[in-house]
Amino acid sequence: KPAKSAQGLPCIAYVVAYHALFAGALVGMHARTHGVVSLTQALLAIFLTINVWICVCELSLLAYPRHIKMEAAAFASRYGAHTLPPVFLFQPVRLEQVFSLKYWSVMWSTYSALDPSYTDTTTFGYCVDVCNGMSTLLPSIVCAIGMTYPVLSPRVLGMLGLVSYYQEFYGTVVYYFQFFFNRRYAKLPTAMTLGIVLPANAIWVVMPALGMWASSRLIRDGTFDVFLSGIKL
């Protein structure tokens, strides 16, 4: 079962607080530093904050594959194969558990009800997410800060962003391909495919596409102007 406690807030409260704090800080610092609220910067700040969280969860996928497989099997035994167990986001969790890498492995044992790739370390789905966690964590942090502060030159930041965002975009497109080509959707209710699998992964198609466009502007213009247009304060 997911880690539960008689005390503690629902997991989603911590997740929302994390995203509000860090994405809000990124947008707020940008507005304070440059006197502008940029839609491009704000959207990418939100996405990069999400991706950093997911990268940490993906590291748990690497660290605890046996635990994920056992927990997924327990879910299937209790609730039935291809039946989504109670979503961990709405389960109570103590603050110290939130800082445990093992706790976040429940994301994958839960999602395995929709796609069993995450209980098999030889599959593309497992490998692409593990690699995303290892290879885009630091670039995401650098890109998030670099939109506001010149830690890298515009063109260098653009090259880093272009590679990182393209990797995320391409990996997600191939994930969709394997999901549908292997007919993993056939054992799921259509509502789960359309309501969970498609939109949850679409974030890593739409937002990296925006990131690639912004990165190309950094390279082409040689300035940070792409993040400096918007509502003047």
Side-chain angles (χ1 to χ4, degrees), residues 21 28 33 41 45 79 98 102 113 131 160 164 168 180 187 195 208:
L21 176 63
T33 301
Q41 185 271 341
Y79 301 105
V98 173
K102 187 175 183 178
C131 291
L160 175 65
S164 182
E168 293 159 358
F180 289 101
K187 296 181 180 179

Side-chain angles (χ1 to χ4, degrees), residues 5 7-8 14 93-101 103-104:
S5 170
Q7 299 178 345
Y14 298 106
V93 58
R94 297 190 305 273
L95 180 61
E96 61 267 28
Q97 291 174 298
V98 173
F99 292 98
S100 164
L101 189 63
Y103 170 77
W104 295 107

Side-chain angles (χ1 to χ4, degrees), residues 58 152 231:
E58 287 166 336
L152 297 174
I231 302 173

Side-chain angles (χ1 to χ4, degrees), residues 17-123:
Y18 156 77
H19 286 89
L21 176 63
F22 286 95
L26 289 169
V27 174
M29 289 187 298
H30 191 81
R32 182 176 180 180
T33 301
H34 299 288
V36 63
V37 176
S38 164
L39 179 61
T40 300
Q41 185 271 341
L43 289 174
L44 289 177
I46 294 169
F47 169 69
L48 292 167
T49 300
I50 294 172
N51 195 63
V52 167
W53 170 52
I54 294 298
C55 283
V56 172
C57 295
E58 287 166 336
L59 294 179
S60 75
L61 185 63
L62 174 64
Y64 299 103
R66 290 185 180 179
H67 173 75
I68 291 167
K69 187 173 184 178
M70 292 174 59
E71 191 168 52
F75 283 149
S77 176
R78 183 172 183 180
Y79 301 105
H82 309 295
T83 299
L84 194 67
V87 179
F88 71 95
L89 288 171
F90 303 102
Q91 303 299 308
V93 58
R94 297 190 305 273
L95 180 61
E96 61 267 28
Q97 291 174 298
V98 173
F99 292 98
S100 164
L101 189 63
K102 187 175 183 178
Y103 170 77
W104 295 107
S105 67
V106 71
M107 174 183 292
W108 309 109
S109 52
T110 300
Y111 190 78
S112 291
L114 308 179
D115 185 348
S117 298
Y118 295 96
T119 60
D120 183 352
T121 59
T122 68
T123 63

Side-chain angles (χ1 to χ4, degrees), residues 110-185:
T110 300
Y111 190 78
S112 291
L114 308 179
D115 185 348
S117 298
Y118 295 96
T119 60
D120 183 352
T121 59
T122 68
T123 63
F124 176 82
Y126 175 89
C127 293
V128 73
D129 277 345
V130 166
C131 291
N132 182 75
M134 292 189 294
S135 64
T136 70
L137 177 58
L138 290 179
S140 292
I141 294 171
V142 173
C143 286
I145 297 171
M147 291 188 292
T148 298
Y149 302 108
V151 292
L152 297 174
S153 70
R155 289 193 170 95
V156 172
L157 183 66
M159 288 187 286
L160 175 65
L162 195 61
V163 171
S164 182
Y165 290 125
Y166 178 76
Q167 173 188 322
E168 293 159 358
F169 175 90
Y170 177 74
T172 307
V173 169
V174 178
Y175 174 78
Y176 275 139
F177 171 78
Q178 69 85 30
F179 182 85
F180 289 101
F181 185 79
N182 292 311
R183 296 181 59 82
R184 298 193 186 280
Y185 63 87

